Amino acid sequence: MELGHPIAAGNTAKVYIVQDKIVKVFREDLPEGTSFYEAEKQRYALSKGLPVPKVIEVTKIDGRQAIMMEKISGRTLGELLLENRNLAQHYMEMSIDIQQRIHQISADSFEPMTEKLTRQIGAAERLSQSQKTALLLKLSEMPVKKQLCHGDFHLFNLIMDDQVTIIDWVDASAGDSRADVYRTYLLYTQFSSELAELYLQLYCIKSGLSKDEIMEWAPIIAGARLSEGVLSEDSDRLLEIVDKLSLRG
């Protein structure tokens, strides 16, 4: 299969358009089964009525795991916001409504978020053993929930056409929606503190949650993100967030 040039690239995969289909090709160092599990998550989300691209096939291309899915036309809410920042609140509220819809779904068959976070914290080389111990203790004290959590929810994973379609389900898990919200907030702070605060303020208003309830997940999610090796991420700022746990203790 001739892929041509990617139309997008993320931390786990590159995305191509082939014969009017979307082909997502994963990094070759990812665990076997990554493509299968993401496809199953997408299919489950679609079965629950969420606007998600239909999976056509799970395959391999040049030895790499890949998913072929329907092409979704349109532009991301992130692109639309950047073109007209006066509509920031409009697009952010739209995204929060979608995120809350996701969180209303039970995800019993998904990997528990606690297991995923435990694995990530253990693999984070920048964390000391004492930091890992403190984070895992904090995690063990958090309530165990099975809400569907996207894991990488932000405006650039929402494509606007006739409706808004949710893409990139590789990090989805079953857990506490507050953790998913903090993860989104953390991703926004990397690029714009103003947008991050707008998101958090609006989410709290719409959900009835307090900022403190969401921030309770801050050190755990920041510590886990250290394992991801995202080049654009500032690991020092993540460590500062983790260190606040010991200061509170």
Side-chain angles (χ1 to χ4, degrees):
M1 181 182 293
E2 186 65 36
L3 293 174
H5 295 290
I7 60 168
N11 196 42
T12 60
K14 292 182 179 179
V15 178
Y16 304 82
I17 296 178
V18 180
Q19 298 175 349
D20 206 35
K21 302 288 190 299
I22 291 294
V23 179
K24 184 172 185 177
V25 182
F26 292 83
R27 283 196 341 241
E28 56 187 343
D29 61 322
L30 292 177
E32 192 66 31
T34 299
S35 57
F36 172 80
Y37 291 128
E38 178 171 356
E40 287 303 298
K41 291 172 184 178
Q42 248 177 260
R43 287 172 174 142
Y44 181 79
L46 186 63
S47 76
K48 292 299 181 179
L50 292 174
V52 175
K54 181 180 178 181
V55 173
I56 297 170
E57 182 183 9
V58 179
T59 185
K60 283 199 171 183
I61 299 174
D62 296 330
R64 298 191 180 195
Q65 300 177 76
I67 302 174
M68 182 178 293
M69 63 191 91
E70 67 172 322
K71 179 186 174 185
I72 302 298
S73 300
R75 305 179 67 200
T76 69
L77 294 191
E79 291 171 321
L80 295 172
L81 183 149
L82 290 177
E83 282 187 0
N84 189 347
R85 289 183 175 267
N86 291 330
L87 292 176
Q89 181 165 336
H90 170 71
Y91 291 125
M92 199 63 82
E93 286 188 339
M94 189 182 298
S95 75
I96 291 168
D97 289 342
I98 295 167
Q99 191 174 25
Q100 289 186 306
R101 186 177 165 193
I102 294 172
H103 293 158
Q104 290 171 0
I105 296 170
S106 177
D108 292 347
S109 62
F110 280 44
E111 177 185 23
M113 181 187 288
T114 51
E115 290 184 11
K116 179 182 177 183
L117 293 172
T118 297
R119 184 175 65 251
Q120 289 178 314
I121 289 168
E125 295 179 357
R126 291 283 316 261
L127 292 174
S128 67
Q129 191 55 53
S130 61
Q131 287 173 318
K132 291 180 181 181
T133 299
L135 289 173
L136 293 176
L137 176 61
K138 173 72 173 174
L139 179 60
S140 71
E141 295 170 347
M142 302 299 271
V144 176
K145 296 186 179 182
K146 294 186 177 180
Q147 294 170 283
L148 177 57
C149 296
H150 183 275
D152 194 25
F153 190 88
H154 52 76
L155 293 172
F156 288 93
N157 275 337
L158 299 171
I159 299 176
M160 168 75 92
D161 192 19
D162 294 335
Q163 63 177 351
V164 178
T165 301
I166 315 157
I167 62 171
D168 202 357
W169 287 84
V170 68
D171 291 314
S173 64
D176 189 327
S177 61
R178 295 178 302 153
D180 200 42
V181 172
Y182 181 78
R183 165 84 177 187
T184 298
Y185 171 77
L186 183 66
L187 295 175
Y188 284 145
T189 60
Q190 184 181 352
F191 300 104
S192 169
S193 59
E194 182 181 354
L195 283 178
E197 294 305 325
L198 174 64
Y199 163 76
L200 192 59
Q201 178 187 21
L202 292 173
Y203 193 96
C204 288
I205 291 171
K206 284 177 172 287
S207 67
L209 289 170
S210 69
K211 183 175 179 178
D212 286 344
E213 287 176 294
I214 294 168
M215 287 298 174
E216 194 174 1
W217 279 94
I220 297 169
I221 301 301
R225 184 157 172 76
L226 281 164
S227 71
E228 297 176 29
V230 179
L231 295 178
S232 60
E233 180 61 272
D234 181 356
S235 59
D236 288 336
R237 83 176 185 116
L238 296 177
L239 286 169
E240 288 178 7
I241 297 170
V242 170
D243 285 341
K244 290 178 182 178
L245 175 62
S246 60
L247 292 175
R248 285 197 301 269

